Each structure stands twice: as structure tokens, then as C-alpha cells.
Amino acid sequence: TFMQPDDSVYDPCVHCGSLQLDRMDVEQDRPPNLAPAELVMKLRMNRKRAEKELGNWRRKFRFPSKDLTDANLNKRLQLIYVPAWLMDTTLQTQWAADVGFDYEVQSFKEKYKGSSWTTQEVRRTQKDWEGRAGTITLRYDNLPADAIEEENQFFPLVRLGRNADRFVADATKNTESSNGAFAADKEASSFILPSRVPADAVSEMLPVLMERAKVDAQKACRADHIRNFKWAPKILEQNWTKMMIPVWSTWYLDEDERRRMVFMHGKTGHGWGEKIPSMRRAWRVALFFFAAAFCLMMLGAVVGIISGNWGSFGGLTFVSIMLIGFPLLMVMWVSFQKGRDSQFGRF
């Protein structure tokens, strides 16, 4: 579910390329989380830079379809904003863990060299593990969680993960009353609505929260290592923030006239695109090699008949076999890639 201008309702969907878009009745369907975002990730990849990166990706494409051109990718390029959840909370928990302290062990090693024995000093680091327990009552900010489901094609691009703090520090506050008001250069065409409410994302926060609590417990013990961390978390409060992430969306038609989507992160420049090579183009190249191999074999046969030197025929036949083997391997590779139409390649 997303919001977009009325005049673009007949444009292809920025997520899947489908032309069948259904207009929602806000009062009847009641889509969740229509409130505007509090934070907006800055757009670093403007349209010009995005077009350049897409061109670099296309030039690395082997046997692209006829429709996959720079002009088509750029013409269909649209900026969308995708939501993500951030949670600020106060954690209270009792914990227990094994903490390790590094210490250096010194020993000596005897070595026979030449005609005499020499003594060599050896230093190695070992760990001393001890049990610790305690109580944590701390404030944790910007715990990331997904606001959309994994089925979304651009899902790998918009997962904040461990980079949440860095992205939030560079984000800007949205002071406008609508999601569309912060569109960079007024280019944004769609604003994806969250498909997961904050309550569904709490369980996803726990592993991130546990990792941060473990680090703080290790620091409190002044330990070098920690393992077997156990806790009983109690979340005292929850403060949720919606942050919008810019993503460039475009598409191309494969040789079966199916739309294939390509996405690029508007800040990092990382992209994900469906690479569907053209079997027709691969076979045209293969047929060229087959024709060249056939001509070489005929040439070798003619030389062998005229001169009686069948060694030339054997040599040219060997070269022909090599020429035939290469396109066969190439076509097999393209067939394998074409069968993986649900896979994505990062660029």
C-alpha cells in the first residue's frame, strides 16, 4: 500500500511493475499508519548520480534484452520513500554471563640451530573466564525494525541493521504535515505505507536489544570477552519513530515482455536488480560461432583434399571444436541464469 499523486495512478507500480493498481477508500479500508514520518533519510544519490550508477550496472550485464537500455531505465526512474521503525526504550533486566579476561603467558622454547642450542622467548594470550551477574536499567535509542514485509522486492535495501545509528544521525526531521512535503526536488512519486504495526516489530527488536545489553554488561565488568549471556528483559516504555528511506525504482522488459524491477538506495547507492539475460541474443552469438567453426572445418577439408596434408584438417577441426564448445557453455550459463528469475544481484 502506498500513497501517490492522482495523475500517476495509471503508471506502472513502482514495486512490481504491474499496471493493475487498485484505488483504496481510506475511510473504508483504513490503511494503518497514515501519520507522517518524523525522520527522513537524506537523499545523497540524486537523479544524475542514480542514472550513472544504473548505466554502470547495465554495461556489466551479459546478453541483456533489447529493452534494457540506459534511455529506458532513466525514463522510467522514479523516487519512492520506504518506511522503517525506530524504537526508544528503557530496559530493565537481570543478567548472568561468563566474562573473559585476557592475560599473557610467557614461556621459552629450545631450538637447535647450526651446532648449538638457542633459547627463544614465546608469548601467547590466554583467556580467564569467570561468572558474573548483575542488573541493567538503561535507556536505548534507535533500535531498528522493519516496517514492511520481507516479500517486498526492495526489502534487502531498506533493512537498517547495525547502521541505524549512523543513518539516524544523518537524517533530517520532517516538520511538514504530509509525507509528500519532504520529497527531494519534488521528485518523489510514491510513499510506501508500513505493513507492520509497531507492536508486531517488538519481537524483532529483542535480538538487537540483547546485543546492546551484552556489550554494556561486558563494559561494566571491564572484560575483554563475554559468552553465555542470559537475561530476563522488561521493557519499561516504548517510543516509536517512523523514518522514511529514499529508494530509486525503475524497470525493463525481458524478452518475454515481463517487467523486471531494479532498485537503488537513495543514500548509499547500493542496488538490487533482476538480471534476466536474453536467450535469443545468446543463441545469435552461439550461431555465429557455429558458422565460424563450420567454415574452418570446410576449409580444413578442402586443404586436406587438395594438398593431401590432413594435418591441417586435424588442426582446424580441433580449433572448430573449441569454437563450438565455447558458445555451448555460454548458452548453458544463460539458461541457468534465466531460470533464477527470483534472484537478485547487488550492484
Side-chain angles (χ1 to χ4, degrees), residues 118-134:
T118 58
T119 302
Q120 182 180 2
E121 182 181 3
V122 178
R123 294 178 180 270
R124 64 181 185 275
T125 301
Q126 292 187 346
K127 300 182 183 69
D128 180 25
W129 291 98
E130 300 177 6
R132 292 287 190 275

PDB file of all heavy atoms in Angstrom, residues 118-134:
ATOM      1  N   THR A 118      69.673 -22.837  21.001  1.00  0.00           N
ATOM      2  CA  THR A 118      69.302 -21.448  21.310  1.00  0.00           C
ATOM      3  C   THR A 118      67.959 -21.441  22.037  1.00  0.00           C
ATOM      4  O   THR A 118      67.115 -22.319  21.834  1.00  0.00           O
ATOM      5  CB  THR A 118      69.180 -20.599  20.031  1.00  0.00           C
ATOM      6  OG1 THR A 118      68.199 -21.181  19.163  1.00  0.00           O
ATOM      7  CG2 THR A 118      70.517 -20.538  19.297  1.00  0.00           C
ATOM      8  N   THR A 119      67.803 -20.441  22.889  1.00  0.00           N
ATOM      9  CA  THR A 119      66.560 -20.291  23.646  1.00  0.00           C
ATOM     10  C   THR A 119      65.746 -19.132  23.078  1.00  0.00           C
ATOM     11  O   THR A 119      66.270 -18.019  22.914  1.00  0.00           O
ATOM     12  CB  THR A 119      66.854 -20.028  25.131  1.00  0.00           C
ATOM     13  OG1 THR A 119      67.638 -21.116  25.657  1.00  0.00           O
ATOM     14  CG2 THR A 119      65.561 -19.907  25.927  1.00  0.00           C
ATOM     15  N   GLN A 120      64.481 -19.409  22.768  1.00  0.00           N
ATOM     16  CA  GLN A 120      63.602 -18.400  22.166  1.00  0.00           C
ATOM     17  C   GLN A 120      62.423 -18.124  23.097  1.00  0.00           C
ATOM     18  O   GLN A 120      61.766 -19.055  23.584  1.00  0.00           O
ATOM     19  CB  GLN A 120      63.091 -18.878  20.804  1.00  0.00           C
ATOM     20  CG  GLN A 120      62.209 -17.861  20.098  1.00  0.00           C
ATOM     21  CD  GLN A 120      61.725 -18.377  18.742  1.00  0.00           C
ATOM     22  OE1 GLN A 120      62.038 -19.507  18.360  1.00  0.00           O
ATOM     23  NE2 GLN A 120      60.978 -17.562  18.038  1.00  0.00           N
ATOM     24  N   GLU A 121      62.170 -16.838  23.356  1.00  0.00           N
ATOM     25  CA  GLU A 121      61.050 -16.463  24.214  1.00  0.00           C
ATOM     26  C   GLU A 121      59.742 -16.520  23.425  1.00  0.00           C
ATOM     27  O   GLU A 121      59.650 -16.032  22.288  1.00  0.00           O
ATOM     28  CB  GLU A 121      61.261 -15.046  24.756  1.00  0.00           C
ATOM     29  CG  GLU A 121      60.158 -14.599  25.711  1.00  0.00           C
ATOM     30  CD  GLU A 121      60.384 -13.198  26.220  1.00  0.00           C
ATOM     31  OE1 GLU A 121      61.370 -12.540  25.791  1.00  0.00           O
ATOM     32  OE2 GLU A 121      59.575 -12.727  27.047  1.00  0.00           O
ATOM     33  N   VAL A 122      58.716 -17.109  24.005  1.00  0.00           N
ATOM     34  CA  VAL A 122      57.405 -17.237  23.358  1.00  0.00           C
ATOM     35  C   VAL A 122      56.353 -16.592  24.252  1.00  0.00           C
ATOM     36  O   VAL A 122      56.263 -16.902  25.444  1.00  0.00           O
ATOM     37  CB  VAL A 122      57.054 -18.721  23.101  1.00  0.00           C
ATOM     38  CG1 VAL A 122      55.670 -18.829  22.464  1.00  0.00           C
ATOM     39  CG2 VAL A 122      58.105 -19.378  22.226  1.00  0.00           C
ATOM     40  N   ARG A 123      55.553 -15.693  23.670  1.00  0.00           N
ATOM     41  CA  ARG A 123      54.466 -15.038  24.406  1.00  0.00           C
ATOM     42  C   ARG A 123      53.147 -15.370  23.717  1.00  0.00           C
ATOM     43  O   ARG A 123      53.021 -15.267  22.502  1.00  0.00           O
ATOM     44  CB  ARG A 123      54.663 -13.520  24.434  1.00  0.00           C
ATOM     45  CG  ARG A 123      55.881 -13.075  25.222  1.00  0.00           C
ATOM     46  CD  ARG A 123      56.048 -11.564  25.157  1.00  0.00           C
ATOM     47  NE  ARG A 123      57.200 -11.109  25.899  1.00  0.00           N
ATOM     48  CZ  ARG A 123      57.188 -10.765  27.182  1.00  0.00           C
ATOM     49  NH1 ARG A 123      56.036 -10.818  27.854  1.00  0.00           N
ATOM     50  NH2 ARG A 123      58.287 -10.363  27.791  1.00  0.00           N
ATOM     51  N   ARG A 124      52.150 -15.764  24.489  1.00  0.00           N
ATOM     52  CA  ARG A 124      50.835 -16.046  23.926  1.00  0.00           C
ATOM     53  C   ARG A 124      49.764 -15.522  24.879  1.00  0.00           C
ATOM     54  O   ARG A 124      49.987 -15.392  26.082  1.00  0.00           O
ATOM     55  CB  ARG A 124      50.652 -17.539  23.678  1.00  0.00           C
ATOM     56  CG  ARG A 124      50.668 -18.404  24.932  1.00  0.00           C
ATOM     57  CD  ARG A 124      50.507 -19.874  24.568  1.00  0.00           C
ATOM     58  NE  ARG A 124      50.391 -20.727  25.740  1.00  0.00           N
ATOM     59  CZ  ARG A 124      51.412 -21.203  26.421  1.00  0.00           C
ATOM     60  NH1 ARG A 124      52.656 -20.925  26.029  1.00  0.00           N
ATOM     61  NH2 ARG A 124      51.219 -21.979  27.472  1.00  0.00           N
ATOM     62  N   THR A 125      48.611 -15.231  24.297  1.00  0.00           N
ATOM     63  CA  THR A 125      47.497 -14.671  25.070  1.00  0.00           C
ATOM     64  C   THR A 125      46.480 -15.768  25.385  1.00  0.00           C
ATOM     65  O   THR A 125      46.082 -16.522  24.493  1.00  0.00           O
ATOM     66  CB  THR A 125      46.807 -13.545  24.279  1.00  0.00           C
ATOM     67  OG1 THR A 125      47.766 -12.519  23.989  1.00  0.00           O
ATOM     68  CG2 THR A 125      45.660 -12.955  25.075  1.00  0.00           C
ATOM     69  N   GLN A 126      46.071 -15.836  26.621  1.00  0.00           N
ATOM     70  CA  GLN A 126      45.046 -16.787  27.045  1.00  0.00           C
ATOM     71  C   GLN A 126      43.902 -16.047  27.712  1.00  0.00           C
ATOM     72  O   GLN A 126      44.020 -14.866  28.057  1.00  0.00           O
ATOM     73  CB  GLN A 126      45.649 -17.823  28.006  1.00  0.00           C
ATOM     74  CG  GLN A 126      46.650 -18.763  27.351  1.00  0.00           C
ATOM     75  CD  GLN A 126      47.089 -19.878  28.283  1.00  0.00           C
ATOM     76  OE1 GLN A 126      46.858 -19.819  29.488  1.00  0.00           O
ATOM     77  NE2 GLN A 126      47.729 -20.891  27.728  1.00  0.00           N
ATOM     78  N   LYS A 127      42.784 -16.754  27.874  1.00  0.00           N
ATOM     79  CA  LYS A 127      41.596 -16.146  28.471  1.00  0.00           C
ATOM     80  C   LYS A 127      41.303 -16.802  29.813  1.00  0.00           C
ATOM     81  O   LYS A 127      41.389 -18.020  29.944  1.00  0.00           O
ATOM     82  CB  LYS A 127      40.391 -16.308  27.546  1.00  0.00           C
ATOM     83  CG  LYS A 127      40.530 -15.687  26.178  1.00  0.00           C
ATOM     84  CD  LYS A 127      39.249 -15.875  25.384  1.00  0.00           C
ATOM     85  CE  LYS A 127      39.393 -15.330  23.969  1.00  0.00           C
ATOM     86  NZ  LYS A 127      40.321 -16.129  23.161  1.00  0.00           N
ATOM     87  N   ASP A 128      40.927 -15.985  30.760  1.00  0.00           N
ATOM     88  CA  ASP A 128      40.488 -16.463  32.069  1.00  0.00           C
ATOM     89  C   ASP A 128      39.002 -16.143  32.190  1.00  0.00           C
ATOM     90  O   ASP A 128      38.602 -14.978  32.225  1.00  0.00           O
ATOM     91  CB  ASP A 128      41.289 -15.765  33.174  1.00  0.00           C
ATOM     92  CG  ASP A 128      40.852 -16.238  34.562  1.00  0.00           C
ATOM     93  OD1 ASP A 128      40.331 -17.368  34.653  1.00  0.00           O
ATOM     94  OD2 ASP A 128      41.028 -15.477  35.533  1.00  0.00           O
ATOM     95  N   TRP A 129      38.166 -17.183  32.244  1.00  0.00           N
ATOM     96  CA  TRP A 129      36.712 -16.996  32.270  1.00  0.00           C
ATOM     97  C   TRP A 129      36.202 -17.037  33.715  1.00  0.00           C
ATOM     98  O   TRP A 129      36.585 -17.890  34.498  1.00  0.00           O
ATOM     99  CB  TRP A 129      36.022 -18.084  31.452  1.00  0.00           C
ATOM    100  CG  TRP A 129      36.277 -17.971  29.977  1.00  0.00           C
ATOM    101  CD1 TRP A 129      37.204 -18.660  29.253  1.00  0.00           C
ATOM    102  CD2 TRP A 129      35.615 -17.106  29.071  1.00  0.00           C
ATOM    103  NE1 TRP A 129      37.156 -18.281  27.943  1.00  0.00           N
ATOM    104  CE2 TRP A 129      36.178 -17.323  27.789  1.00  0.00           C
ATOM    105  CE3 TRP A 129      34.588 -16.165  29.190  1.00  0.00           C
ATOM    106  CZ2 TRP A 129      35.769 -16.636  26.655  1.00  0.00           C
ATOM    107  CZ3 TRP A 129      34.172 -15.476  28.054  1.00  0.00           C
ATOM    108  CH2 TRP A 129      34.750 -15.722  26.815  1.00  0.00           C
ATOM    109  N   GLU A 130      35.318 -16.080  34.022  1.00  0.00           N
ATOM    110  CA  GLU A 130      34.704 -16.005  35.348  1.00  0.00           C
ATOM    111  C   GLU A 130      33.218 -15.697  35.197  1.00  0.00           C
ATOM    112  O   GLU A 130      32.794 -15.056  34.228  1.00  0.00           O
ATOM    113  CB  GLU A 130      35.366 -14.898  36.190  1.00  0.00           C
ATOM    114  CG  GLU A 130      36.848 -15.086  36.413  1.00  0.00           C
ATOM    115  CD  GLU A 130      37.461 -13.934  37.192  1.00  0.00           C
ATOM    116  OE1 GLU A 130      36.663 -13.067  37.640  1.00  0.00           O
ATOM    117  OE2 GLU A 130      38.688 -13.897  37.342  1.00  0.00           O
ATOM    118  N   GLY A 131      32.414 -16.152  36.139  1.00  0.00           N
ATOM    119  CA  GLY A 131      30.982 -15.882  36.137  1.00  0.00           C
ATOM    120  C   GLY A 131      30.667 -14.521  36.715  1.00  0.00           C
ATOM    121  O   GLY A 131      31.282 -14.086  37.688  1.00  0.00           O
ATOM    122  N   ARG A 132      29.735 -13.814  36.108  1.00  0.00           N
ATOM    123  CA  ARG A 132      29.289 -12.507  36.593  1.00  0.00           C
ATOM    124  C   ARG A 132      27.771 -12.420  36.466  1.00  0.00           C
ATOM    125  O   ARG A 132      27.150 -13.072  35.625  1.00  0.00           O
ATOM    126  CB  ARG A 132      29.933 -11.364  35.790  1.00  0.00           C
ATOM    127  CG  ARG A 132      31.437 -11.206  36.002  1.00  0.00           C
ATOM    128  CD  ARG A 132      31.740 -10.621  37.381  1.00  0.00           C
ATOM    129  NE  ARG A 132      33.135 -10.256  37.495  1.00  0.00           N
ATOM    130  CZ  ARG A 132      34.110 -11.082  37.831  1.00  0.00           C
ATOM    131  NH1 ARG A 132      33.822 -12.359  38.106  1.00  0.00           N
ATOM    132  NH2 ARG A 132      35.354 -10.660  37.913  1.00  0.00           N
ATOM    133  N   ALA A 133      27.158 -11.593  37.278  1.00  0.00           N
ATOM    134  CA  ALA A 133      25.718 -11.347  37.224  1.00  0.00           C
ATOM    135  C   ALA A 133      25.458  -9.922  37.682  1.00  0.00           C
ATOM    136  O   ALA A 133      26.274  -9.320  38.380  1.00  0.00           O
ATOM    137  CB  ALA A 133      24.952 -12.342  38.091  1.00  0.00           C
ATOM    138  N   GLY A 134      24.330  -9.390  37.268  1.00  0.00           N
ATOM    139  CA  GLY A 134      24.026  -8.022  37.656  1.00  0.00           C
ATOM    140  C   GLY A 134      22.652  -7.599  37.173  1.00  0.00           C
ATOM    141  O   GLY A 134      21.843  -8.414  36.701  1.00  0.00           O
TER     142      GLY A 134
END
